[in-house]
């Protein structure tokens, strides 16, 4: 919620950037806000918010504090466009113009690769995707899809089909023609799956569909759920918890339950709670249909096995399933350090997809490559992509594709 957010767990970390003190009134005002929100003794004007402990809840809290301090609307994407105090101060000095609300949030606009569009997990905002966008690198355009309802005057969608249709419409306004590259985390994977279906139904191509930590629930947990009230009931919460206990490590279930309890009972999270209720109902009423394309499933080696990831999509992904191994921490996949592995594997998948798109374009123009050249290009691009993202990790810690 923008009006009030819970205090963050733990404390932010110090930045390794050379300290530069505030020099203008805007920089001084912003520094006071950043120090308070991040819980740091000092913040330099060139420190990157997401590199000094900033995360999704803190980003929302920071945005709310800036709106209150400067008495103006701050765009949702501002921290991706201007992630330092120096850059934010420049934007404020130039004058931030109010803009029409949109679900499509540009998180990384530079780069020559085709854009990647991603849906966050239930009860989260696009800020939860910030580390993934950053670790994919400066050459990868990345757009998050913010759920309706996190703002006071917007009503959340209660059907995955409606969420997907809304996102598809906004994406096509930005990029009228495919092929498209889509992804989603957990609940967001359900939405991304439906988005791919709708793109295909409209005659568009989907070159990559990446399901990250996909936790599709069993049919028996849907029984008796026919409204927002029943979806949000204690009975349904217990059903889902028992189901998760059968599939995930206890630590994962505990963290997920603690997060949900915070959403349920924290009086300051009223808009997050409203969206979460709608998402619970949407997930329980959604039934996947066979998808004519290929699916890439990011499977945690302990909490979600290769066998389960493949069988879960059996009969649904008619183009086959590729499994990418990721760390055994399903609820923390997009947190440090696990997000580095996810990003490296996803970067390799994007590189292969981009090569396929380039080859298709070459064939259409009559300049196609022979099979050997295609395989060499795809393999080289994927290897380079993984190598580029493995600097912070040991070579042995990078998961390999299944």
């Amino acid at each position: 919620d923008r009006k009030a957010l819970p205090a963050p767990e733990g404390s932010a970390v110090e930045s390794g950037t050379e300290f530069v003190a505030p020099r203008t009134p805007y920089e001084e005002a912003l520094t006071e806000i950043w120090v308070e929100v991040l819980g740091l003794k000092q913040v330099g004007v060139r420190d990157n918010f997401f590199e000094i402990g900033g995360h999704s809840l803190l980003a929302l809290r920071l945005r709310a504090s800036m709106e209150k301090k400067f008495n103006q609307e701050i765009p949702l994407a501002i921290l991706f466009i201007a992630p330092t105090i120096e850059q934010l101060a420049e934007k404020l000095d130039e004058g931030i113009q109010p803009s029409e609300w949109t679900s499509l949030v540009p998180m990384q606009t530079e780069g020559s690769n085709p854009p990647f569009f991603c849906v966050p997990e239930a009860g989260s905002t696009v800020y939860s995707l910030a580390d993934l966008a950053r670790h994919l690198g400066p050459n990868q355009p990345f757009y998050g899809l913010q759920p309706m309802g996190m703002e006071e005057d917007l009503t959340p969608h209660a059907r995955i089909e409606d969420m997907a249709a809304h996102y598809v419409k906004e994406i096509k306004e930005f990029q009228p023609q495919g092929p498209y590259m889509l992804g989603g985390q957990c609940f967001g994977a359900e939405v991304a799956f439906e988005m791919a279906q709708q793109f295909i139904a409209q005659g568009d191509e989907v070159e990559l569909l990446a399901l990250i930590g996909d936790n599709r629930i069993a049919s028996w947990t849907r029984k008796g759920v026919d409204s927002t009230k029943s979806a949000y009931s204690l009975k349904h919460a217990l059903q889902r918890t028992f189901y998760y206990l059968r599939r995930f490590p206890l630590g994962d279930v505990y963290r997920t339950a603690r997060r949900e309890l915070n959403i349920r009972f924290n009086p300051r999270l009223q808009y997050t709670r409203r969206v979460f209720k709608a998402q619970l109902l949407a997930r329980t009423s959604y039934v996947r249909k066979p998808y004519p394309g290929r699916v890439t499933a990011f499977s945690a080696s302990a909490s979600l096995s290769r066998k389960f990831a493949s069988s879960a999509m059996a009969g649904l992904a008619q183009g086959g399933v590729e499994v990418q191994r990721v760390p055994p921490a399903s609820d923390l996949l997009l947190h440090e350090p696990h997000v580095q592995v996810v990003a490296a594997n996803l970067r390799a998948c994007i590189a292969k997809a981009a090569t396929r798109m380039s080859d298709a374009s070459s064939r259409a123009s009559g300049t196609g490559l022979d099979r050997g050249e295609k395989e060499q290009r795809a393999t080289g691009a994927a290897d380079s992509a993984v190598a580029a993202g493995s600097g912070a990790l040991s070579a042995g810690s990078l998961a390999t594709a299944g």
Side-chain angles (χ1 to χ4, degrees), residues 271-284:
Y271 300 126
T272 300
R273 184 159 50 250
R274 179 177 65 171
V275 171
F276 186 61
K277 287 180 180 181
Q279 290 171 330
L280 286 176
L281 175 61
R283 186 172 64 171
T284 55

Side-chain angles (χ1 to χ4, degrees), residues 203-261:
D204 295 301
E205 294 181 49
V206 175
E207 191 59 54
L208 176 64
L209 175 56
L211 307 184
I212 305 171
D214 181 23
N215 65 341
R216 192 162 55 107
I217 61 175
S219 58
W220 63 267
T221 66
R222 307 168 188 255
K223 293 181 179 179
V225 177
D226 55 8
S227 66
T228 302
K229 182 178 180 180
S230 57
Y232 195 63
S233 66
L234 179 60
K235 177 183 177 181
H236 181 55
L238 290 174
Q239 285 178 322
R240 286 185 290 110
T241 300
F242 286 137
Y243 177 63
Y244 292 151
L245 283 170
R246 293 169 59 179
R247 287 185 51 205
F248 297 103
L250 184 60
D252 286 21
V253 178
Y254 169 73
R255 286 188 296 268
T256 299
R258 187 176 64 175
R259 178 174 172 271
E260 182 171 331
L261 286 172

